Amino acid sequence: MTLSFHWFLPTYGDSRNLVAGGHGTPMSGDRPASLRYLNQIAGAAEENGFESVLTPTGAWCEDAWLTTAMLVETTRTLKFLVALRPGLISPTLAAQMAGTFQRHSEGRLLVNVVTGGESHEQRAFGDHLDKEQRYRRTGEFLDVVRQLWHSREPISVAGEHIRVENALLTNHPDPVPPIFFGGSSQAAGPVAAKYADTYLTWGEPLFAVSKKLEWIRGLAVDHGRTLDYGLRIHVISRDTSEQAWAEADRLLAGIDPADVERVQANLARSESEGQRRMTELHGGDTSRLEIAPNLWAGVGLVRGGAGTALVGSHEEVADRLTEYSRLGLRHFILSGYPHVEEAYWFGEGVLPILRRRGLWHPERQTPLRPAATPFAAASSS
């Protein structure tokens, strides 16, 4: 199995230290998320062979669609895994936006569907459904979007939450963008099994990840489908294990206890099952953060969402990724602080090891297609 590696685009800002907040909690880094800086991160990801960059969504970061659209012209092969929240936009418009993005980026769009685990944040956007209702709406939303991406005839759907009449796209996305989807609650599983192309989970110990994938696989079989699977996790990879753990210790020492208290209090009210699982890995206790070999939960002390990191030598990190891949995980969405520098640590340190093991085969750098409207030829005299 060939593995695909993706990087992260921190559109709330970056830092040499851990950035506190996220998952419905305000956050910002001391390296502002200017377009110039985000271009540096995208360039580092592309240079090191990452397939795409994941862009988050929420009130605490920049808009994912607008930001990534502005990065298309400064990259050549890098794809964009753009976060999308059903319910904040109509499915017809979302399907149309995806088609437009695919044409102008020459097929470099991937879609990450985020149902939204925090009701207080959803209400800020005018969405007043509860969590169970949001997942049912997500299923209806994706049903319409998928139909529109393929149908040559107008479609009409009257669901519990989504209703469209005579909807039709004049330009279908080519290729159809794959849908990435994460969710650990009982309501999330059936939606992922029926509509996702890749199911995403956060970095937990191997046994916990294996059990979750087994659950989703069983649901997918019920729908006659086979999914890909991916892991969202941070990395701290260095030439030696001692150097990597020294960096983890530095990040931990730089955490303000007030930030831990603030973020953990906000995350305690989270409705997200995935967030609950992340929080339980450390329980706010800084003395038990290595929860499995090379798996460190320190990030989750101050960051909502993905809260674990693989920490170790390049060989050790490659070993742990290999173990995860044996569970059936093919996509790895990674990040590190700061994101420019860590992209190079991983790209230059770990990816060559995985390539030698036959697990990673970087795509060839292909030139863009020629412009559709060439310059007029000079007239002959």
Side-chain angles (χ1 to χ4, degrees):
M1 180 172 60
T2 299
L3 306 182
S4 294
F5 291 91
H6 312 258
W7 200 239
F8 185 74
L9 200 65
T11 56
Y12 44 80
D14 201 2
S15 178
R16 290 184 178 275
N17 300 303
L18 297 178
V19 179
H23 211 70
T25 302
M27 67 191 304
S28 62
D30 47 38
R31 287 188 185 178
S34 65
L35 190 60
R36 181 188 295 270
Y37 184 64
L38 295 177
N39 268 306
Q40 290 182 41
I41 297 175
E46 186 170 69
E47 182 71 20
N48 283 283
F50 290 96
E51 179 179 343
S52 78
V53 285
L54 169 65
T55 311
T57 180
W60 41 274
C61 57
E62 299 287 358
D63 178 76
W65 286 96
L66 291 174
T67 301
T68 52
M70 287 188 281
L71 297 176
V72 166
E73 279 293 290
T74 58
T75 52
R76 294 178 63 81
T77 60
L78 188 70
K79 298 176 184 178
F80 297 92
L81 181 48
V82 180
L84 166 67
R85 292 200 183 199
L88 306 188
I89 187 173
S90 83
T92 305
L93 181 57
Q96 182 186 45
M97 289 168 62
T100 299
F101 199 111
Q102 280 297 61
R103 281 186 295 283
H104 293 317
S105 70
E106 298 186 311
R108 291 191 281 150
L109 174 68
L110 315 171
V111 176
N112 180 38
V113 175
V114 180
T115 298
E118 315 305 335
S119 290
H120 69 277
E121 186 183 19
Q122 295 295 124
R123 289 193 294 270
F125 283 98
D127 178 16
H128 293 270
L129 298 185
D130 62 29
K131 181 179 176 180
E132 299 293 321
Q133 292 171 323
R134 288 198 297 271
Y135 274 110
R136 292 200 298 273
R137 178 181 60 195
T138 294
E140 295 178 8
F141 180 97
L142 292 176
D143 177 55
V144 171
V145 167
R146 282 201 174 278
Q147 287 192 61
L148 287 171
W149 282 345
H150 296 280
S151 179
R152 301 294 174 180
E153 300 294 333
I155 69 166
S156 296
V157 174
E160 178 185 3
H161 302 288
I162 300 293
R163 180 172 181 174
V164 299
E165 296 181 7
N166 296 316
L168 178 67
L169 293 187
T170 56
N171 287 301
H172 294 81
D174 182 21
V176 169
I179 292 175
F180 289 64
F181 183 97
S184 300
S185 70
Q186 289 301 309
V191 178
K194 190 173 182 179
Y195 297 107
D197 297 300
T198 297
Y199 175 78
L200 294 175
T201 187
W202 286 328
E204 298 179 75
L206 290 169
F207 176 76
V209 172
S210 178
K211 293 295 289 183
K212 186 184 289 188
L213 299 191
E214 181 182 342
W215 167 53
I216 297 296
R217 284 192 186 100
L219 295 174
V221 167
D222 292 342
H223 291 286
R225 303 186 70 230
T226 301
L227 309 185
D228 279 340
Y229 297 91
L231 188 75
R232 171 75 183 98
I233 197 169
H234 308 276
V235 287
I236 304 174
S237 182
R238 294 293 185 270
D239 294 336
T240 68
S241 183
E242 292 76 16
Q243 291 171 343
W245 283 108
E247 177 62 12
D249 290 341
R250 187 194 68 80
L251 291 173
L252 185 62
I255 294 176
D256 185 342
D259 281 336
V260 177
E261 183 177 354
R262 172 179 64 86
V263 172
Q264 291 303 309
N266 285 330
L267 295 179
R269 63 175 176 166
S270 174
E271 300 170 355
S272 166
E273 175 65 16
Q275 182 59 64
R276 183 192 65 77
R277 292 168 66 120
M278 283 283 100
T279 302
E280 285 185 348
L281 293 177
H282 57 76
D285 185 352
T286 59
S287 68
R288 55 183 187 95
L289 294 177
E290 189 177 0
I291 56 176
N294 303 106
L295 185 61
W296 185 64
V299 179
L301 292 171
V302 293
R303 186 193 192 279
T308 54
L310 291 176
V311 181
S313 68
H314 304 313
E315 197 80 29
E316 288 172 333
V317 171
D319 288 343
R320 301 292 86 76
L321 290 169
T322 300
E323 290 171 353
Y324 277 117
S325 73
R326 290 170 182 157
L327 301 180
L329 292 162
R330 190 171 79 83
H331 293 273
F332 292 89
I333 303 175
L334 311 175
S335 54
Y337 299 90
H339 287 72
V340 171
E341 290 91 323
E342 289 297 333
Y344 278 94
W345 275 114
F346 185 87
E348 295 176 347
V350 180
L351 287 180
I353 297 173
L354 295 172
R355 187 175 190 175
R356 290 195 297 271
R357 295 180 182 182
L359 293 174
W360 179 67
H361 305 280
E363 296 178 354
R364 289 183 177 180
Q365 300 291 312
T366 54
L368 297 176
R369 295 193 294 268
T373 307
F375 289 109
S379 59
S380 58
S381 57

